[in-house]
Amino acid sequence: MITYHEQERIFKLDTPNTSYLIGIVDEENFIGHIYYGKRLKDADVSYLMRTEEAPFVPGRNNRERCAFYDCFPFEYPAGGTGDCRESCLSVRSAGGHAGAMLSYVSYEILEGKPELAGLPATFGTAGECITLKLLCEDRHVGMQVELLYTVFQDVDVVTRSVKITNTGKEHFYLTKVCSACLDMDNRDYDMISLHGSWGRERHIQRKTLGYGIQNVSSLRGESSHQDHPFLALVEKSATQENGEVYAMNFVYSGNFRAQAEVTQFDYVRMSMGIHPENFCWKLEAGESFQAPEVVMLYTDKGLDAMTNAFHKLYRKHLIRGEYRNKKRPILINNWEATYFAFDTEKLLSIAKEASGLGIEMLVMDDGWFGKRNTDECALGDWQVNEEKLKGGLKYLVDEVNKLGLKFGIWFEPEMVSPDSDLYRAHPDWALAIPGRPAAQARQQYVLDLSRKEVADYIYEMVASVLRSANIEYVKWDMNRPLTDIGSYGLPADRQGEICHRFMLAVYEMQNRLIKEFPYLLLENCSSGGARFDPGMLYYSPQIWCSDDTDAIERLEIQEGTAMLYPLSTMGAHVSDCPNHAIGRVTPFETRGLVALAGTFGYELDVTRIPEEDRKMIPEQVALYHQYNDLIREGDYYRIASYSQNHKFDCWQVVDEDKKESLVTFVQVMCRANFKSRRILLKGLSEETRYEVCFVNETKIQPKVYSGDTLMKAGLLIPEQQGDFRARLIHLTAK
Ligand code: DGJ
């Protein structure tokens, strides 16, 4: 899978269907990017680096060194010495100078994949994957750089990361460290990214890639509602089924930048890493900095292939823990049911009703601790409010368990309310710039987790609650961005490290949590879905997708999310109507079928919803049990997109053996005098005959068609009266 061609000085990395080639050039040992694309038989395609074309390589003609630097396809470009495109690495020496250039030193090929200290990352055993470590240096700076590349045997991705070590005698500062770069020819690409807002996370955006720099980024200290740590460059003609796609996804949850720069020569530099703004990391002699991982992907088979490669990688090589391949308990969360107005009696009444309907876990959301009766206070005071929870937490949990339900609980460990005992005792524990009042958001401050004593204190508070009762699920929330980035615990020249140190501390706390409570189901959340990223998936197998639980709004949110992440990761609940986020009324069945495409659960007061809705719950629970294995593990195909056609939405999952498939069809607006819709299915076996059954619809008789017919000629979905109507169609091989 990885070979070194000594004579040509070329490294060839092969995945099942792609090749990635790196060349060492000239006596100065420049590290050039040669090729990334369809799998090649030959290794020697080094002509693609164009070193025979003017301006020549410096060792042969030093007259045009700048011109060479400015167009050579670098594997990992450092700035300030002649390459005037945006660099991936900026170093400022103790003397205040910037400028670096890497040259190749040596390589190692390692079986498996080394862990990245303190960071989330994909993993695989020897046999599953193999890693190339390229050691490079800049002797002038006194710096070694390790470029790591891993290829997997079963999925077409290359993962990359970078480690920088100060090998000199004096400190220097890293002011920019990207994790991956791809220099290639521009072939008139479109750029696909995910954009959003609170309640509108991860909407797909596609636009023409033009000359100059285009990027998506976050400076909010979290991967964010607004932009997403993902970027794809795709052929103009690329569709779901066809066309070239180059994609990058960052295994990181903090500030990021994903960028594409189209140059004067029609080359494109695609890069991804920690956002350089406000980033400045001091490296003392002998110290190292490990940058987070980027997953890089190429396919010539369109967006469905990209999606399924990401899904497979994350399911098999990123998500960990007890629940990674397991059905998750169907939960009912009390947030939209009660907000802060609950007590033991109310929660038990919900649990009692829920248990009779087949729901398996009660999750107590925000408001159970300190004096928290509104969102204006008490974050940081993680003691149970016994006025609300009479008899204490253990009593409540035991009673819920007696009803046959598991119990889960909400925390927001990274935050502190100004009106809290914690803040009154330790005002310096919140992030703030000395002398400047820090901005509040949702009336709260961010804790300075870059200080170990703060992170340790909060961890102990959370863990002691979990130790006190049989708690089997935690929702870890984070409801405001990082601002006023100042720490009382760090010296002046390390203030630029706070955001990344904060992220490392969150990762460390979550790691401790899942080590101490290995059976725990952890669900990350950030004001809805502001921290839905691969970094978080390393710790929690599921993440709350959005506070917008409206079934129609969710179509676009879940489409964008599922473009990268397995359906098993998408927190999705059936909620009450009119919807609390947007006021829309949709049929209860539709809410159920849309939530079925995620983790599935409820977020409503089951004691108060209309009787006809309540009656449908056991049926929905049964659908979950029947189809969740398929939904969790199956290949996912986008059949139609409401965000594009403004009429209907449709997606499909198919099991690995192509014996079973499930299609969800949502007719958004009903129209007069309209015939059925014809949809072309995907991923089936052409030779197999499938029984096609419209689930729970007695008026439509099951019929048998071949996979060939269903994929080429299609399936007719009859028109239904009424807006927002959804259908489930189950296919089984005969
Ligand atoms: C934001 C989350 O997304 C909600 O589900 C809920 O947990 C609230 N926070 C609680 O404050």
Side-chain angles (χ1 to χ4, degrees), residues 198 201 225 333 335-336 339-340 365-367 372 375 379 410-412 442 444 475 477-479 525-529 544 546-547 573 603:
W198 173 85
E201 294 88 340
H225 297 101
N333 177 304
W335 179 241
E336 286 194 24
Y339 296 101
F340 295 101
D365 210 280
D366 193 355
R372 183 104 166 151
D375 62 10
L379 290 172
W410 178 98
F411 285 99
E412 192 175 359
R442 209 192 189 205
Q444 60 198 57
K475 178 173 172 187
D477 203 349
M478 187 241 189
N479 282 306
C525 167
S526 178
S527 201
W544 183 229
S546 177
D547 277 346
H573 298 166
E603 178 130 357

Side-chain angles (χ1 to χ4, degrees), residues 27-97:
E27 68 235 23
E28 291 186 65
N29 292 334
F30 299 114
I31 308 151
H33 176 70
I34 305 178
Y35 172 85
Y36 187 29
K38 277 186 233 184
R39 186 158 170 163
L40 293 181
K41 293 195 171 64
D42 292 336
D44 193 4
V45 289
S46 55
Y47 61 88
L48 294 175
M49 288 187 288
R50 299 180 168 90
T51 52
E52 299 310 317
E53 295 174 23
F56 316 111
V57 287
R60 274 178 266 159
N61 177 355
N62 201 1
R63 204 179 143 255
E64 290 297 350
R65 182 174 284 269
C66 271
F68 168 80
Y69 281 169
D70 207 22
C71 65
F72 183 69
F74 283 104
E75 204 37 54
Y76 191 68
T81 51
D83 179 352
C84 294
R85 293 163 288 182
E86 171 113 24
S87 69
C88 282
L89 176 67
S90 294
V91 185
R92 187 156 42 79
S93 68
H97 301 110

Side-chain angles (χ1 to χ4, degrees), residues 355-409:
S355 89
L357 299 167
I359 294 171
E360 298 161 315
M361 177 159 73
L362 175 77
V363 174
M364 177 172 68
D365 210 280
D366 193 355
W368 56 266
F369 51 92
K371 297 195 175 61
R372 183 104 166 151
N373 292 316
T374 68
D375 62 10
E376 290 164 16
C377 64
L379 290 172
D381 297 342
W382 299 110
Q383 293 95 7
V384 177
N385 177 342
E386 297 215 8
E387 273 168 41
K388 272 182 171 175
L389 301 188
K390 297 229 163 47
L393 181 61
K394 185 161 176 2
Y395 169 75
L396 171 65
V397 177
D398 289 347
E399 291 302 302
V400 169
N401 287 168
K402 278 187 212 155
L403 290 167
L405 265 65
K406 295 177 191 291
F407 186 87
I409 196 167

